[in-house]
Structure formats: C-alpha cells, structure tokens
Amino acid sequence: MKNPAEKTNIDEKFALFFDYWRPKVIAELNGQEVKLVKFKGEFVWHCHAIEDELFLVWRGSFRVEFRDHIVELNQGELLVVPRGIEHRTVADEEVEVLIFEPQATRNTGDITDEQFTAPIRTKI
Amino acid sequence: MKNPAEKTNIDEKFALFFDYWRPKVIAELNGQEVKLVKFKGEFVWHCHAIEDELFLVWRGSFRVEFRDHIVELNQGELLVVPRGIEHRTVADEEVEVLIFEPQATRNTGDITDEQFTAPIRTKI
C-alpha cells in the first residue's frame, strides 16, 4: 500500500495477486478500508454484526445471495449489504471486486471457516 | 438513492445530472457516503479539518493540486487526501469522479464559497 498522498492504479493492484476470497487493502481513511478481492465459486453464508459492506464490481459479474432474494451485480454496479443481514457471494467466473468497509472487518464476519476466513488488514 | 439492498449502476447515476462540483450521494454505510461528482475547471483551495477524502476517477482525468506538488489522476486511479491538507481539484476536461468520505462532509471543507460550496447530503 502506498503513502496516503500517492495515487493507486486499481488495475495494477489487481494484477499483483491471483488468490480468491482474500481481500487486500489498498487504502485506509476515516477508520475504513478500501480492499480489492477476486472471487470465483461460492463463499460461505455469514453476516457482519456491526459493519455495513459495500461491493463494487470492477470487472466481471457475480451475485450476492440473501436468504430471501438474490442480487446480480455487473461491472460498474455496487451494492451495500447492511450489517446483520446474512449473505453469501457467488461468482460463476472470476470477478474483480472493490470493497469499502470498516478497518479490520473479517471477510467471513460472524463465522470462522477453515477454507474461507482470510487474514485481516493484508495490504498490497 | 435506492434502498440499501438494491444495487446501483454507477454509469446510470452519472447520466442523471450535468452540474459540476455538486456531489450526489449514491450510498451510505458506516457513517460514510459514496458520492458521484462531475468536475470541470478549477476548484477552490480548501482542506477538511477532520475528514480524509478519497477520489476515484470513473471516467476522464484530473489533478489534485497540493501546495507543494500535483497528483495527476487518470481513469481507474484513486487518491486519498488526508485531513488537514490543503488542496484543490482541477480538470481540463469534464471528469466523472467517485468520492468516499464521512457523511455530511462539505465539498469546500473549511471555507464557504459562493460559487462552489454545494449543499450536503444531496441524494440521487
């Protein structure tokens, strides 16, 4: 991650990693983080007790599944998942996603999953 | 602005307005706002006492001028302007920018400018 007064090129950052479901912090501000993540496949059901989570599709498409409905997200679209709402992300093909959420939010929220729970505050 | 669980298409939102320097809120989360704004020309020098400000270029390019250096930002690049740092935005051509900052941040920060100070919390 660069110093605050240096710019960040989002495509260049996405080109630096290849793993899925492991968010990388590219900016921090006001107690929040901007993260990049690549998804492919089905994530686990979870919710975040006190954090709202914003997904913005940078490249590709995926869906956010809730228990009672599904939201399909395409490139250039964003969705806020309110705190406390159970959800999972599913991508048929690889997708590049930008996330805004509070610092140190755990990707699997209220659960711990051997496969999916990622280290927090990983910078790139 | 849509309900939290409805998605937002960023290009469609940019197509809804034509004024410069007047940020429109498209999402709220964790006490923060995601705003869209169009710039053209030179803004006024200002700083934000307690808010860090993130600019992400959606279309076009512009520059953020600081008193001692300039950062050129192109499409797909972002910059965090830390709180307390005087700056102004300058765009030679129209640019579409996404802003992420605390709720109710005033666009001109510590100053009031007849031409540039915009209403806060305007949603679209």
Side-chain angles (χ1 to χ4, degrees):
Chain A
M1 203 173 67
K2 297 181 180 177
N3 293 327
E6 290 181 43
K7 71 178 181 180
T8 297
N9 182 295
I10 294 173
D11 284 331
E12 288 177 8
K13 290 292 188 186
F14 272 119
L16 295 178
F17 67 96
F18 304 94
D19 48 349
Y20 297 135
W21 309 114
R22 300 205 162 234
K24 321 294 185 197
V25 177
I26 59 164
E28 293 177 298
L29 69 163
N30 305 305
Q32 314 292 308
E33 290 174 339
V34 181
K35 302 172 182 174
L36 304 184
V37 65
K38 295 183 182 185
F39 295 156
K40 188 176 180 182
E42 274 180 12
F43 202 58
V44 287
W45 286 100
H46 67 284
C47 66
H48 303 275
I50 56 166
E51 299 101 347
D52 309 317
E53 188 166 42
L54 183 149
F55 296 106
L56 189 167
V57 185
W58 195 252
R59 192 182 58 79
S61 60
F62 75 109
R63 57 189 183 275
V64 181
E65 297 188 358
F66 299 94
R67 290 297 189 184
D68 59 354
H69 70 293
I70 293 173
V71 178
E72 302 273 356
L73 286 177
N74 301 306
Q75 191 164 317
E77 294 180 337
L78 66 80
L79 180 73
V80 175
V81 176
R83 63 193 67 187
I85 304 293
E86 204 181 11
H87 63 284
R88 70 171 182 179
T89 45
V90 182
D92 294 331
E93 304 293 336
E94 179 180 299
V95 60
E96 294 178 350
V97 178
L98 193 150
I99 293 174
F100 289 151
E101 62 190 6
Q103 279 178 340
T105 297
R106 185 159 75 162
N107 67 333
T108 55
D110 60 335
I111 68 154
T112 301
D113 183 278
E114 199 173 312
Q115 180 183 357
F116 289 116
T117 298
I120 59 170
R121 309 195 79 161
T122 302
K123 298 179 183 181
I124 200 166
Chain B
M1 203 174 68
K2 296 180 180 178
N3 294 328
E6 289 181 43
K7 71 178 181 180
T8 297
N9 182 295
I10 294 173
D11 283 330
E12 287 177 7
K13 290 291 187 187
F14 272 119
L16 295 178
F17 67 96
F18 304 94
D19 48 351
Y20 296 135
W21 310 113
R22 299 206 162 232
K24 320 295 185 197
V25 177
I26 60 163
E28 293 176 298
L29 70 162
N30 306 304
Q32 314 292 309
E33 291 174 337
V34 180
K35 301 171 183 175
L36 304 185
V37 66
K38 296 183 182 184
F39 295 156
K40 189 176 180 184
E42 275 180 11
F43 202 59
V44 287
W45 287 100
H46 68 284
C47 66
H48 303 275
I50 56 166
E51 299 101 346
D52 308 318
E53 186 166 45
L54 183 148
F55 296 106
L56 190 167
V57 184
W58 196 252
R59 191 182 58 79
S61 60
F62 75 109
R63 56 189 184 274
V64 181
E65 298 188 357
F66 299 94
R67 289 296 189 184
D68 59 354
H69 71 293
I70 293 173
V71 179
E72 301 273 355
L73 286 177
N74 301 307
Q75 191 164 316
E77 294 180 337
L78 66 81
L79 180 73
V80 175
V81 176
R83 61 191 70 187
I85 305 293
E86 205 181 8
H87 63 284
R88 70 170 181 178
T89 46
V90 182
D92 294 329
E93 303 293 336
E94 179 181 299
V95 60
E96 294 178 349
V97 178
L98 190 150
I99 291 173
F100 186 48
E101 64 190 5
Q103 280 178 340
T105 298
R106 186 160 75 161
N107 67 332
T108 56
D110 60 335
I111 68 153
T112 302
D113 184 277
E114 199 173 314
Q115 180 184 357
F116 289 117
T117 298
I120 60 170
R121 310 196 79 162
T122 302
K123 298 179 182 181
I124 200 166

